[in-house]
Amino acid sequence: MKKAILIIFAVLASAPLAEAGQSAGARARLAVLNAAIKKNPADAAALSGRAELQLELGETAKAEADFQRALDAEPDGAAALAGLGQTRMRQGRIDEAISFFTKAVNRSAATARYYFLRAGAYAALGNYQRAVKNAGEAVALAPGMGSYLHWRGIYYARSGEYAKAVKDYTAAIELDKTDPITRNDRAYAYLRLGKWTEAFNDARAALRLEKNFPAAYLNIAGYWWAGRKNSRKALENVAGALRVGLRDTADLYDENGAGYFLRGLNSTAGFEAFVARSRRP
């Protein structure tokens, strides 16, 4: 779960509407945009708006066609350029995505979102130095956006700069104290810094905010094993993670995830059998 949180970049798309694709809200938005485009086929704003909706619905090819039509209608349109960058991200064409995001930045240098999108593209390539830099530009332009701070913290963490990650997570938490993910990400960074009590407190807080949170259980397991060498409590929390939905047990062995703090415990003869017994039916 922790690994998934770190590598699934929000910039690839807004929250998908696939399950609610036929909702009244989506149909109403689409109807308004279709009407505007029917009235003026060169309405760049309406075309980009419809393309954004299509991206949310997972209709990447349709979105790409509309973003391109919007760009044809308004060649300097930053929104269409950024939209084409998002379609390239969906297609796994990351270098092309960066090129489009850069063009959007050049046309609208005061728009935080375009830097943020480019940060995610660099992160997808594993270039966390540039990801941090671009996320920093987004933070500077929109300091009240907690998501920008959170993701810069993630990029810092992925590059091993955990103290800087904690600072960004803390700032994001101050903006939204109800978000369990940022709280738990800070717990993981605290674990990496050997700040055991702080990590434990954050992971427990994350569970109070979201009781079915496997990654929080794994951070608590890491606290008990790496920080306190208490195998019983560590295993109780591994079992808790499995009980509330952990499916990818590879994270229990992954040095870039929970496995880093379960070293020694996860190599014992009975650990794999314990995991198998603890899986939720």
Side-chain angles (χ1 to χ4, degrees), residues 35-157:
I37 294 165
K38 184 176 181 179
K39 183 177 181 180
N40 178 10
D43 186 335
L47 287 163
S48 288
R50 187 170 70 177
E52 290 282 357
L53 178 58
Q54 288 163 341
L55 268 185
E56 292 176 4
L57 295 170
E59 297 176 347
T60 305
K62 289 182 179 179
E64 182 176 10
D66 270 354
F67 279 131
Q68 187 58 59
R69 286 177 63 192
L71 190 62
D72 291 342
E74 189 177 296
D76 289 332
L81 288 164
L84 286 168
Q86 289 178 89
T87 66
R88 295 298 185 271
M89 290 290 288
R90 289 286 189 90
Q91 296 160 351
R93 296 154 66 181
I94 310 302
D95 288 329
E96 291 179 36
I98 290 172
S99 177
F100 277 117
F101 294 145
T102 298
K103 290 176 182 177
V105 165
N106 290 341
R107 283 164 175 72
S108 184
T111 303
R113 180 170 174 266
Y114 301 152
Y115 291 99
F116 181 63
L117 289 168
R118 189 167 65 177
Y122 278 123
L125 291 176
N127 190 335
Y128 295 109
Q129 183 177 1
R130 288 192 174 182
V132 164
K133 183 178 185 299
N134 278 272
E137 296 284 357
V139 167
L141 288 165
M145 284 290 290
S147 61
Y148 294 172
L149 285 159
H150 181 194
W151 280 97
R152 187 174 66 174
I154 289 173
Y155 303 147
Y156 273 132

